[in-house]
Amino acid sequence: SFIISYDPAAEHPFRLAGTRVCSLFGRELKGEPFVRLWDELSRGDITRFTATVADEATAFVAGVSARTAQGSPADLELLLLPLYHRGRTHVRLLGTLSPVEAPYWLGAEHVGALSLGTIRHLGPMVERMAAPGIAPGPEAGRQRRGLTVYDGGRS
């Protein structure tokens, strides 16, 4: 996990980065710009998505591809959340970056640049963006302990 400052001019520097995130890159990330961890193709998107998280106070989930200098790959998942600070959302973001499966090289090799893959914006607009002609009804899911449960999925 990590916390970044919402500072577009400084490319969102790390305020705090957990041991596992730092070991993934092989260095301390505190003070380093979050946007610079990404390849050139992904930097513009990451900048826009951090702004969306802060502006809309909503979550963002993305698939991430990583590759070490030796060429070893890893699939990661990124989660960015707004972190309220004194009632404001444009101050800090909370995030996690974790491997989908622990790569065999973890600890022996270090990630270079990250590449953005699939993304999901989790917020109130997602519920309103149903496919044309399909209106979500109460049968679409049921409430259980404050969560909406949808039947199906993994069998």
Side-chain angles (χ1 to χ4, degrees):
S1 58
F2 58 87
I3 296 175
I4 58 175
S5 293
Y6 183 79
D7 185 354
E11 298 180 315
H12 312 296
F14 281 91
R15 291 186 54 84
L16 176 75
T19 305
R20 303 270 174 143
V21 175
C22 290
S23 68
L24 193 63
F25 293 92
R27 64 186 184 275
E28 175 61 48
L29 295 174
K30 186 175 181 179
E32 190 170 320
F34 175 67
V35 175
R36 298 237 177 117
L37 295 180
W38 300 86
D39 63 16
E40 291 294 327
L41 293 173
S42 302
R43 287 183 185 178
D45 290 333
I46 286 298
T47 300
R48 282 188 296 281
F49 295 135
T50 54
T52 301
V53 170
D55 291 342
E56 297 181 16
T58 188
F60 165 76
V61 177
V64 177
S65 297
R67 191 163 295 280
T68 67
Q70 294 82 0
S72 302
D75 291 323
L76 308 169
E77 187 170 70
L78 171 71
L79 170 67
L80 280 179
L81 302 165
L83 186 59
Y84 286 95
H85 180 70
R86 298 183 183 178
R88 295 179 28 217
T89 58
H90 287 74
V91 179
R92 297 185 182 127
L93 301 175
L94 176 66
T96 62
L97 186 63
S98 59
V100 175
E101 291 183 23
Y104 68 90
W105 51 263
L106 193 61
E109 299 177 24
H110 305 294
V111 169
L114 302 173
S115 298
L116 192 60
T118 59
I119 59 161
R120 280 184 54 200
H121 174 250
L122 307 174
M125 291 305 295
V126 173
E127 294 171 5
R128 292 187 218 139
M129 293 173 22
I134 300 174
E139 68 282 350
R142 65 184 188 285
Q143 292 294 315
R144 182 171 172 112
R145 296 185 183 153
L147 301 172
T148 303
V149 178
Y150 295 95
D151 293 322
R154 293 167 65 174
S155 298

